[in-house]
Amino acid sequence: MAPAASKLQAVAGLRVLPRRALAQYLRFLRLYPVLTKAATSGILSALGNVLAQMIGKKQKKENSSEKLAIGGPLRYAIYGCFFTGPLSHYFYLFLECWVPPGVPWAALKRLLLDRLLFAPTFLLLFFLVMGLLEGKDAATCMAQVRTGFWPALLMNWRVWTPAQFININYVPLQFRVLFANLVALFWYTYLASLAKWPRKKLALLGGPGDAHLPRTRDRSSLTLRHLDPGALKR
């Protein structure tokens, strides 16, 4: 009976683990909102890049014992932690204060602010910061902005507008950064699985604040980019 009882207790413990984790996350979200969103953004950004590398290796049937490149996940963790999470947190607060839910056409006004103000600004920031993290000089970063920014922004508007409409109008304020991160993670993972698509086309299908598909190799080219996720991603 003792082993059986111990097994039942272990199973019961596993069942309550998700609820405990959620309760702990909500507690940190209430006590340390910016720090918590920054941490989750960094973790999910890095995870997205790792998944992209794993999918790429599987599709190309590369040696599975080859180690994953750590440079990509590290850069995206830094970007997610210090830029995506904090900036998205304050932007959603700004939307909530500037366009309260009760004002006329609030949903449309919020969407336009997100799509026409935050997305282009955040995308430009991504190009510049990621270029610098990859060791490129300012001239090279600006050249990449000139060639890649507008196509990436157009694809961003096309793909992410429905998701952001739901996020900024129907998702509770404290969960909007997490929602965008999770949508970006699943979106980029899906794109990474589309091996038959041209890489340049995949590179433009990024999250609301980001531009590209995560690279499956740690190469320094922003046009073969990342897994939001936004980011996403944001």
Side-chain angles (χ1 to χ4, degrees):
M1 287 297 295
S6 177
K7 185 176 181 180
L8 288 174
Q9 290 178 353
V11 171
L14 289 175
R15 288 177 178 175
V16 300
L17 186 60
R19 284 184 291 177
R20 290 179 178 175
L22 178 60
Q24 192 70 5
Y25 174 78
L26 293 176
R27 176 175 174 270
F28 282 118
L29 193 61
R30 184 180 69 255
L31 296 176
Y32 316 104
V34 179
L35 181 61
T36 302
K37 293 172 186 179
T40 54
S41 294
I43 291 171
L44 290 174
S45 295
L47 177 61
N49 189 270
V50 171
L51 290 175
Q53 292 189 54
M54 294 173 63
I55 292 172
K57 288 179 61 177
K58 183 177 180 181
Q59 290 173 341
K60 294 182 179 180
K61 298 181 179 179
E62 295 179 354
N63 184 7
S64 59
S65 63
E66 183 181 346
K67 293 182 179 181
L68 298 175
I70 63 171
L74 180 59
R75 284 194 297 271
Y76 297 123
I78 293 173
Y79 187 81
C81 185
F82 290 99
F83 294 93
T84 303
L87 292 179
S88 298
H89 167 80
Y90 287 111
F91 175 72
Y92 291 134
L93 284 178
F94 162 77
L95 273 184
E96 200 72 13
C97 295
W98 203 22
V99 188
V103 303
W105 302 97
L108 180 59
K109 290 177 181 178
R110 289 182 176 193
L111 184 65
L112 290 176
L113 282 172
D114 176 81
R115 299 288 78 204
L116 300 179
L117 175 63
F118 190 61
T121 304
F122 203 79
L123 181 59
L124 177 62
L125 180 67
F126 169 81
F127 270 97
L128 297 176
V129 172
M130 289 303 297
L132 294 175
L133 289 176
E134 290 175 344
K136 297 172 182 167
D137 56 30
T140 303
C141 294
M142 292 306 301
Q144 290 179 328
V145 170
R146 287 191 293 269
T147 58
F149 176 80
W150 183 243
L153 182 60
L154 290 177
M155 189 60 71
N156 181 295
W157 285 341
R158 176 183 173 186
V159 172
W160 274 91
T161 297
Q164 281 301 96
F165 178 80
I166 295 172
N167 190 19
I168 61 181
N169 291 300
Y170 299 106
V171 176
L173 178 61
Q174 68 269 31
F175 296 123
R176 289 176 189 170
V177 176
L178 179 63
F179 176 86
N181 290 155
L182 292 174
V183 173
L185 178 64
F186 284 108
W187 172 245
Y188 293 137
T189 304
Y190 168 71
L191 291 179
S193 69
L194 300 181
K196 62 182 179 180
W197 281 38
R199 287 182 63 83
K200 287 186 179 180
K201 186 173 183 179
L202 288 176
L204 297 177
L205 296 173
D210 306 322
H212 314 318
L213 180 72
R215 282 178 299 245
T216 55
R217 288 184 178 273
D218 190 21
R219 293 174 179 171
S220 58
S221 171
L222 279 174
T223 58
L224 295 178
R225 198 266 192 189
H226 92 295
L227 218 48
D228 312 280
L232 57 172
K233 53 209 174 37
R234 61 148 176 83

